[in-house]
Amino acid sequence: MVGYVGRADKDVNSRLKSWVDKTKRPFFKYSYASSAKAAFEKECENYHEFDPPGNDIHPDRPDGAGWKCPRCDIFDG
Ligand SMILES: [Zn+2]
């Protein structure tokens, strides 16, 4: 099962290290994206696909980015 999905726009190494002490499931997979926007869209797809119990809220966009979720209309309007 997938417990949580996340994204690191700058440093996936430090992001994982900050997270690993806070979870009961310290196992992870990662993949790279070609851009920050592609990473955001991939995170959204994973969020909707797996509905992870560790994600209380929808993935957020970087400040100032007008991107839309490819799966839902949370950022519309
Ligand atoms: Zn969405």
Side-chain angles (χ1 to χ4, degrees):
M1 76 170 279
V2 174
Y4 180 81
V5 299
R7 169 181 103 244
D9 289 331
K10 293 195 174 78
D11 187 348
V12 70
N13 182 32
S14 63
R15 178 79 175 88
L16 283 167
K17 282 177 178 163
S18 73
W19 165 86
V20 74
D21 291 335
K22 298 175 191 150
T23 180
K24 294 175 191 151
R25 308 180 190 97
F27 307 99
F28 64 88
K29 289 186 173 186
Y30 72 93
S31 65
Y32 287 108
S34 56
S35 66
K37 183 170 187 280
F40 165 75
E41 290 174 347
K42 193 184 274 196
E43 184 188 23
C44 289
E45 295 281 3
N46 288 336
Y47 172 78
H48 286 288
E49 185 73 26
F50 298 113
D51 192 18
N55 290 79
D56 294 333
I57 58 169
H58 192 283
D60 200 5
R61 303 174 289 191
D63 289 344
W67 307 334
K68 306 248 167 122
C69 176
R71 289 274 200 113
C72 75
D73 61 2
I74 188 172
F75 297 117
D76 290 352

